[in-house]
Short mmCIF file of all heavy atoms in Angstrom, two decimals:
data_model
loop_
_atom_site.label_atom_id
_atom_site.label_comp_id
_atom_site.label_asym_id
_atom_site.label_seq_id
_atom_site.Cartn_x
_atom_site.Cartn_y
_atom_site.Cartn_z
N ARG A 1 6.70 8.10 20.28
CA ARG A 1 7.24 8.48 18.97
C ARG A 1 7.18 7.27 18.05
O ARG A 1 7.66 6.20 18.42
CB ARG A 1 8.68 8.97 19.09
CG ARG A 1 8.79 10.28 19.78
CD ARG A 1 10.21 10.76 19.76
NE ARG A 1 10.28 12.03 20.47
CZ ARG A 1 11.39 12.56 20.91
NH1 ARG A 1 12.54 11.94 20.73
NH2 ARG A 1 11.38 13.71 21.53
N VAL A 2 6.58 7.47 16.88
CA VAL A 2 6.47 6.36 15.94
C VAL A 2 7.12 6.73 14.62
O VAL A 2 7.22 7.91 14.26
CB VAL A 2 4.99 5.95 15.71
CG1 VAL A 2 4.35 5.44 16.97
CG2 VAL A 2 4.19 7.09 15.13
N THR A 3 7.56 5.71 13.91
CA THR A 3 8.05 5.86 12.54
C THR A 3 7.17 4.96 11.69
O THR A 3 7.02 3.78 11.99
CB THR A 3 9.52 5.40 12.43
OG1 THR A 3 10.30 6.12 13.36
CG2 THR A 3 10.05 5.61 11.03
N GLU A 4 6.58 5.56 10.68
CA GLU A 4 5.68 4.78 9.84
C GLU A 4 6.43 4.18 8.65
O GLU A 4 7.47 4.67 8.22
CB GLU A 4 4.53 5.66 9.33
CG GLU A 4 3.56 6.01 10.43
CD GLU A 4 2.33 6.72 9.92
OE1 GLU A 4 2.41 7.49 8.95
OE2 GLU A 4 1.26 6.48 10.52
N ARG A 5 5.87 3.12 8.13
CA ARG A 5 6.42 2.45 6.95
C ARG A 5 6.12 3.29 5.71
O ARG A 5 5.16 4.06 5.70
CB ARG A 5 5.79 1.07 6.80
CG ARG A 5 6.08 0.17 7.98
CD ARG A 5 5.30 -1.14 7.85
NE ARG A 5 5.55 -1.96 9.00
CZ ARG A 5 6.58 -2.80 9.12
NH1 ARG A 5 7.44 -2.91 8.14
NH2 ARG A 5 6.73 -3.51 10.21
N ARG A 6 6.93 3.11 4.69
CA ARG A 6 6.72 3.84 3.44
C ARG A 6 6.11 2.89 2.42
O ARG A 6 6.65 1.80 2.18
CB ARG A 6 8.04 4.38 2.93
CG ARG A 6 8.62 5.42 3.87
CD ARG A 6 9.89 6.00 3.34
NE ARG A 6 9.61 6.68 2.08
CZ ARG A 6 10.53 6.94 1.17
NH1 ARG A 6 11.77 6.59 1.36
NH2 ARG A 6 10.21 7.56 0.06
N PRO A 7 5.02 3.30 1.78
CA PRO A 7 4.45 2.44 0.73
C PRO A 7 5.39 2.43 -0.48
O PRO A 7 5.91 3.47 -0.87
CB PRO A 7 3.12 3.09 0.42
CG PRO A 7 3.24 4.49 0.89
CD PRO A 7 4.24 4.50 2.00
N THR A 8 5.61 1.25 -1.03
CA THR A 8 6.51 1.14 -2.18
C THR A 8 5.83 0.57 -3.43
O THR A 8 6.39 0.68 -4.52
CB THR A 8 7.73 0.25 -1.85
OG1 THR A 8 7.28 -1.01 -1.39
CG2 THR A 8 8.59 0.91 -0.79
N ALA A 9 4.65 -0.01 -3.25
CA ALA A 9 3.97 -0.58 -4.42
C ALA A 9 2.49 -0.75 -4.12
O ALA A 9 2.05 -0.67 -2.97
CB ALA A 9 4.59 -1.92 -4.79
N LEU A 10 1.75 -0.96 -5.21
CA LEU A 10 0.32 -1.31 -5.12
C LEU A 10 0.19 -2.79 -5.41
O LEU A 10 0.87 -3.33 -6.28
CB LEU A 10 -0.49 -0.53 -6.15
CG LEU A 10 -0.81 0.91 -5.83
CD1 LEU A 10 -1.51 1.55 -7.02
CD2 LEU A 10 -1.69 1.00 -4.61
N TRP A 11 -0.70 -3.43 -4.70
CA TRP A 11 -0.94 -4.85 -4.92
C TRP A 11 -2.42 -5.04 -5.16
O TRP A 11 -3.27 -4.56 -4.39
CB TRP A 11 -0.48 -5.63 -3.69
CG TRP A 11 -0.71 -7.10 -3.75
CD1 TRP A 11 -0.52 -7.92 -4.81
CD2 TRP A 11 -1.17 -7.92 -2.68
NE1 TRP A 11 -0.82 -9.21 -4.48
CE2 TRP A 11 -1.22 -9.25 -3.17
CE3 TRP A 11 -1.52 -7.69 -1.36
CZ2 TRP A 11 -1.63 -10.31 -2.40
CZ3 TRP A 11 -1.92 -8.75 -0.60
CH2 TRP A 11 -1.97 -10.05 -1.11
N MET A 12 -2.76 -5.72 -6.24
CA MET A 12 -4.15 -6.03 -6.55
C MET A 12 -4.50 -7.34 -5.86
O MET A 12 -3.87 -8.37 -6.13
CB MET A 12 -4.36 -6.16 -8.06
CG MET A 12 -4.23 -4.86 -8.81
SD MET A 12 -5.53 -3.69 -8.41
CE MET A 12 -6.93 -4.50 -9.11
N HIS A 13 -5.47 -7.29 -4.96
CA HIS A 13 -5.86 -8.50 -4.24
C HIS A 13 -7.38 -8.49 -4.08
O HIS A 13 -7.95 -7.57 -3.48
CB HIS A 13 -5.19 -8.53 -2.87
CG HIS A 13 -5.51 -9.74 -2.05
ND1 HIS A 13 -5.15 -11.02 -2.44
CD2 HIS A 13 -6.19 -9.88 -0.89
CE1 HIS A 13 -5.58 -11.86 -1.53
NE2 HIS A 13 -6.22 -11.21 -0.59
N GLU A 14 -8.02 -9.51 -4.64
CA GLU A 14 -9.48 -9.67 -4.57
C GLU A 14 -10.21 -8.42 -5.05
O GLU A 14 -11.16 -7.95 -4.44
CB GLU A 14 -9.91 -10.04 -3.15
CG GLU A 14 -9.37 -11.38 -2.68
CD GLU A 14 -9.75 -11.70 -1.25
OE1 GLU A 14 -10.42 -10.88 -0.59
OE2 GLU A 14 -9.37 -12.79 -0.78
N GLY A 15 -9.70 -7.84 -6.13
CA GLY A 15 -10.35 -6.68 -6.73
C GLY A 15 -10.08 -5.36 -6.03
O GLY A 15 -10.68 -4.34 -6.40
N ARG A 16 -9.20 -5.35 -5.06
CA ARG A 16 -8.88 -4.10 -4.35
C ARG A 16 -7.41 -3.77 -4.55
O ARG A 16 -6.57 -4.65 -4.68
CB ARG A 16 -9.14 -4.23 -2.85
CG ARG A 16 -10.54 -4.57 -2.48
CD ARG A 16 -10.77 -4.67 -1.00
NE ARG A 16 -9.55 -5.02 -0.27
CZ ARG A 16 -9.47 -5.26 1.02
NH1 ARG A 16 -10.55 -5.20 1.74
NH2 ARG A 16 -8.34 -5.56 1.61
N GLU A 17 -7.12 -2.47 -4.55
CA GLU A 17 -5.74 -2.03 -4.59
C GLU A 17 -5.27 -1.80 -3.15
O GLU A 17 -5.91 -1.08 -2.39
CB GLU A 17 -5.60 -0.72 -5.37
CG GLU A 17 -5.85 -0.89 -6.85
CD GLU A 17 -5.68 0.42 -7.60
OE1 GLU A 17 -5.98 1.48 -7.02
OE2 GLU A 17 -5.27 0.37 -8.76
N ILE A 18 -4.16 -2.44 -2.80
CA ILE A 18 -3.65 -2.37 -1.43
C ILE A 18 -2.22 -1.83 -1.47
O ILE A 18 -1.40 -2.28 -2.28
CB ILE A 18 -3.68 -3.76 -0.77
CG1 ILE A 18 -5.12 -4.27 -0.71
CG2 ILE A 18 -3.05 -3.72 0.62
CD1 ILE A 18 -5.26 -5.68 -0.24
N LEU A 19 -1.95 -0.87 -0.60
CA LEU A 19 -0.59 -0.35 -0.46
C LEU A 19 0.24 -1.35 0.33
O LEU A 19 -0.21 -1.86 1.36
CB LEU A 19 -0.60 0.99 0.29
CG LEU A 19 -1.19 2.18 -0.44
CD1 LEU A 19 -1.30 3.37 0.51
CD2 LEU A 19 -0.35 2.55 -1.65
N ILE A 20 1.45 -1.64 -0.16
CA ILE A 20 2.36 -2.52 0.56
C ILE A 20 3.71 -1.83 0.70
O ILE A 20 4.04 -0.93 -0.08
CB ILE A 20 2.51 -3.89 -0.14
CG1 ILE A 20 3.06 -3.73 -1.55
CG2 ILE A 20 1.21 -4.66 -0.13
CD1 ILE A 20 3.43 -5.05 -2.21
N ASP A 21 4.49 -2.27 1.69
CA ASP A 21 5.84 -1.71 1.85
C ASP A 21 6.85 -2.62 1.17
O ASP A 21 6.49 -3.60 0.51
CB ASP A 21 6.16 -1.47 3.32
CG ASP A 21 6.38 -2.74 4.11
OD1 ASP A 21 6.15 -3.83 3.58
OD2 ASP A 21 6.78 -2.64 5.28
N VAL A 22 8.11 -2.33 1.36
CA VAL A 22 9.18 -3.07 0.68
C VAL A 22 9.22 -4.54 1.11
O VAL A 22 9.68 -5.40 0.36
CB VAL A 22 10.54 -2.37 0.89
CG1 VAL A 22 11.01 -2.52 2.33
CG2 VAL A 22 11.57 -2.86 -0.09
N THR A 23 8.73 -4.86 2.31
CA THR A 23 8.73 -6.25 2.77
C THR A 23 7.49 -7.02 2.32
O THR A 23 7.38 -8.21 2.56
CB THR A 23 8.79 -6.31 4.31
OG1 THR A 23 7.60 -5.74 4.85
CG2 THR A 23 10.02 -5.59 4.84
N GLY A 24 6.54 -6.33 1.70
CA GLY A 24 5.30 -6.97 1.27
C GLY A 24 4.19 -6.88 2.31
O GLY A 24 3.13 -7.45 2.14
N ARG A 25 4.43 -6.15 3.37
CA ARG A 25 3.41 -5.99 4.42
C ARG A 25 2.30 -5.09 3.92
O ARG A 25 2.54 -4.02 3.37
CB ARG A 25 4.04 -5.39 5.67
CG ARG A 25 3.07 -5.23 6.80
CD ARG A 25 3.77 -4.76 8.03
NE ARG A 25 2.84 -4.58 9.13
CZ ARG A 25 3.20 -4.50 10.38
NH1 ARG A 25 4.47 -4.60 10.71
NH2 ARG A 25 2.31 -4.33 11.32
N GLU A 26 1.05 -5.55 4.12
CA GLU A 26 -0.11 -4.75 3.73
C GLU A 26 -0.24 -3.56 4.67
O GLU A 26 -0.27 -3.72 5.89
CB GLU A 26 -1.38 -5.59 3.79
CG GLU A 26 -1.44 -6.69 2.77
CD GLU A 26 -2.75 -7.43 2.81
OE1 GLU A 26 -3.76 -6.88 3.30
OE2 GLU A 26 -2.78 -8.58 2.36
N LEU A 27 -0.34 -2.36 4.09
CA LEU A 27 -0.49 -1.16 4.90
C LEU A 27 -1.95 -0.73 4.99
O LEU A 27 -2.47 -0.54 6.07
CB LEU A 27 0.38 -0.03 4.34
CG LEU A 27 1.88 -0.36 4.25
CD1 LEU A 27 2.63 0.79 3.61
CD2 LEU A 27 2.43 -0.70 5.60
N SER A 28 -2.58 -0.54 3.85
CA SER A 28 -4.01 -0.22 3.84
C SER A 28 -4.55 -0.34 2.42
O SER A 28 -3.79 -0.24 1.45
CB SER A 28 -4.28 1.18 4.40
OG SER A 28 -3.74 2.16 3.54
N ALA A 29 -5.84 -0.50 2.33
CA ALA A 29 -6.49 -0.54 1.03
C ALA A 29 -6.74 0.89 0.56
O ALA A 29 -6.98 1.79 1.38
CB ALA A 29 -7.81 -1.31 1.12
N LEU A 30 -6.64 1.10 -0.73
CA LEU A 30 -6.92 2.41 -1.29
C LEU A 30 -8.42 2.59 -1.48
O LEU A 30 -9.12 1.64 -1.85
CB LEU A 30 -6.23 2.59 -2.64
CG LEU A 30 -4.73 2.85 -2.63
CD1 LEU A 30 -4.23 3.00 -4.06
CD2 LEU A 30 -4.41 4.10 -1.85
N LYS A 31 -8.88 3.79 -1.27
CA LYS A 31 -10.28 4.09 -1.55
C LYS A 31 -10.46 4.15 -3.06
O LYS A 31 -9.54 4.51 -3.80
CB LYS A 31 -10.67 5.43 -0.93
CG LYS A 31 -10.66 5.40 0.58
CD LYS A 31 -11.05 6.74 1.15
CE LYS A 31 -10.98 6.70 2.66
NZ LYS A 31 -11.20 8.01 3.26
N ALA A 32 -11.65 3.81 -3.52
CA ALA A 32 -11.94 3.81 -4.95
C ALA A 32 -11.71 5.21 -5.51
O ALA A 32 -12.13 6.21 -4.93
CB ALA A 32 -13.38 3.36 -5.19
N GLY A 33 -11.03 5.28 -6.63
CA GLY A 33 -10.78 6.55 -7.29
C GLY A 33 -9.52 7.26 -6.84
O GLY A 33 -9.18 8.31 -7.36
N THR A 34 -8.79 6.71 -5.88
CA THR A 34 -7.56 7.33 -5.42
C THR A 34 -6.44 7.01 -6.40
O THR A 34 -6.26 5.86 -6.80
CB THR A 34 -7.17 6.80 -4.02
OG1 THR A 34 -8.26 7.03 -3.13
CG2 THR A 34 -5.94 7.50 -3.49
N GLN A 35 -5.71 8.03 -6.80
CA GLN A 35 -4.61 7.87 -7.73
C GLN A 35 -3.29 8.02 -6.98
O GLN A 35 -3.07 9.01 -6.29
CB GLN A 35 -4.69 8.94 -8.83
CG GLN A 35 -5.95 8.86 -9.67
CD GLN A 35 -5.99 7.61 -10.53
OE1 GLN A 35 -4.97 7.16 -11.04
NE2 GLN A 35 -7.17 7.03 -10.68
N VAL A 36 -2.41 7.03 -7.10
CA VAL A 36 -1.07 7.11 -6.52
C VAL A 36 -0.07 6.69 -7.59
O VAL A 36 -0.39 5.90 -8.48
CB VAL A 36 -0.92 6.22 -5.27
CG1 VAL A 36 -1.76 6.72 -4.13
CG2 VAL A 36 -1.22 4.78 -5.58
N LYS A 37 1.13 7.25 -7.49
CA LYS A 37 2.17 6.93 -8.47
C LYS A 37 3.13 5.93 -7.85
O LYS A 37 4.20 6.28 -7.38
CB LYS A 37 2.91 8.19 -8.89
CG LYS A 37 2.03 9.16 -9.64
CD LYS A 37 2.79 10.38 -10.07
CE LYS A 37 1.86 11.31 -10.82
NZ LYS A 37 2.54 12.53 -11.25
N LEU A 38 2.69 4.68 -7.82
CA LEU A 38 3.52 3.58 -7.31
C LEU A 38 3.45 2.43 -8.30
O LEU A 38 2.43 2.25 -8.99
CB LEU A 38 3.01 3.10 -5.95
CG LEU A 38 3.20 4.03 -4.76
CD1 LEU A 38 2.49 3.49 -3.53
CD2 LEU A 38 4.68 4.24 -4.47
N PRO A 39 4.50 1.65 -8.39
CA PRO A 39 4.46 0.50 -9.30
C PRO A 39 3.47 -0.56 -8.82
O PRO A 39 3.19 -0.65 -7.63
CB PRO A 39 5.89 -0.04 -9.28
CG PRO A 39 6.49 0.49 -8.02
CD PRO A 39 5.78 1.77 -7.70
N LEU A 40 2.96 -1.32 -9.76
CA LEU A 40 2.03 -2.40 -9.43
C LEU A 40 2.84 -3.65 -9.13
O LEU A 40 3.63 -4.11 -9.94
CB LEU A 40 1.07 -2.65 -10.60
CG LEU A 40 -0.07 -3.62 -10.35
CD1 LEU A 40 -0.98 -3.12 -9.22
CD2 LEU A 40 -0.88 -3.80 -11.61
#
């Protein structure tokens, strides 16, 4: 049984948008053209 982290913001790093959680941990990079409603 796993509990996953919740993305809380987008981070721009080296030209890519990366989902991060509240601790700043990188979760995954967004695919080009993906729209999410998270603060930058």
Side-chain angles (χ1 to χ4, degrees):
R1 290 185 181 163
V2 297
T3 304
E4 289 188 326
R5 299 174 182 274
R6 295 183 62 201
T8 55
L10 281 175
W11 178 42
M12 291 294 292
H13 181 64
E14 296 178 359
R16 301 181 334 184
E17 291 181 327
I18 299 173
L19 291 172
I20 60 172
D21 71 353
V22 71
T23 65
R25 182 175 179 162
E26 293 183 23
L27 302 177
S28 66
L30 284 180
K31 293 180 182 173
T34 304
Q35 298 292 323
V36 293
K37 294 181 180 179
L38 290 173
L40 187 61

